[in-house]
Amino acid sequence: MIGDLWVLAARLEDPARDGVTVAEPRMLALVAEDGEAQRVDGWIPVDRVEWDAWRAAAGRYLAVVQSAGAALGAAERRAQRAAGRLLPGPRRRAAHAAETEFLVAAGDYAAAVRAATTAYWPIHCEIERRLESQAAARRWLEIRGRFAGQGIEPVWGWSLRELDPEQGPGLVELTVFRWDGEATAAPADFVSPDRFGAQELDRELLRLRAEWTVRRIVWAEAARRRVEEENGGVPFALWWRAVTARVDASEKVVPPRSPGDAFTGPPPAGPGRRRVEVLQLPE
């Protein structure tokens, strides 16, 4: 079952070292306990195959970096001991050789970190993607909570104008307005007799788009401004999305991929996938 585990993501040891140029970032990995690595806030869904495979890959990354780090450390200690001997002859040549060995080890370390990072990068990016998905879901829950209970007042209406009955029968323009504010001033062939709450209007617009060929939906500027003023300047489109969403935001999680899938982007929506559905999001 995909996503049957919720695990903590953490950052592995920083590969940067004094005296060595390392451009690669710290890698994200999955951990079993908080104290195993630096914790990153948020838990992500994985399946058991991913858990085993990703942990093993992180182990290989660490093994490469630690092995190269041990060789670099040994070369650095030899160079430091040799630098303290200011004697002529063979010992001075040995000091120069130790310094050269350290420079070579520094280059080898940077190359090893780069290779290990390249091998582990797809997993790091997928963990980061799921963390971002969880953060977005939490932010969406906060937005939904802020506007909970709003949009239920039956104040919304619509008008319909057929654009060209002779050349394009059924081609219409819809205007959305509020009955408790400025009614639409545009000419209309039909005005809705009913008044709707936000969710009811969202479904009504979907019905109209199925019944007519709707070229565009015009949202009355006065209605948009009123909503924004009542909500402290929150953009109208965000408010509308929050009060008309069909599925609770706790279910708005990017589905994990199967282990064999390529890491190219979020999977396309398909049958059975759950998502936040916004039918008529204003522009």
Side-chain angles (χ1 to χ4, degrees), residues 4-17:
D4 55 349
L5 295 175
W6 284 82
V7 298
L8 182 68
R11 293 199 180 275
L12 297 176
E13 180 181 351
D14 190 345
R17 293 176 64 109

Side-chain angles (χ1 to χ4, degrees), residues 8-11 26 28 31 33-43:
L8 182 68
R11 293 199 180 275
R26 297 181 68 177
L28 286 164
V31 297
E33 298 178 359
D34 294 5
E36 187 168 334
Q38 182 182 349
R39 175 170 176 167
V40 175
D41 290 338
W43 297 74

Side-chain angles (χ1 to χ4, degrees), residues 186-224:
D189 297 318
F190 186 79
V191 178
S192 62
D194 300 321
R195 303 188 179 197
F196 305 93
Q199 285 199 3
E200 295 168 338
L201 175 63
D202 201 35
R203 288 189 289 269
E204 177 72 359
L205 294 179
L206 182 64
R207 182 190 68 80
L208 291 169
R209 298 191 82 160
E211 182 176 344
W212 298 83
T213 304
V214 180
R215 170 170 289 180
R216 57 183 170 269
I217 299 178
V218 179
W219 296 79
E221 185 62 27
R224 296 167 64 107

Side-chain angles (χ1 to χ4, degrees), residues 243-257:
V243 300
T244 60
R246 295 286 186 267
V247 179
D248 188 82
S250 62
E251 300 181 24
K252 187 176 181 295
V253 176
V254 176
R257 297 191 187 89

Side-chain angles (χ1 to χ4, degrees), residues 155-157 176-183 220 222-223 226-227 230 239:
V155 298
W156 295 93
V176 178
F177 61 92
R178 288 179 63 131
W179 284 105
D180 60 348
E182 297 180 18
R226 178 166 177 173
V227 170
E230 291 174 350
W239 178 87

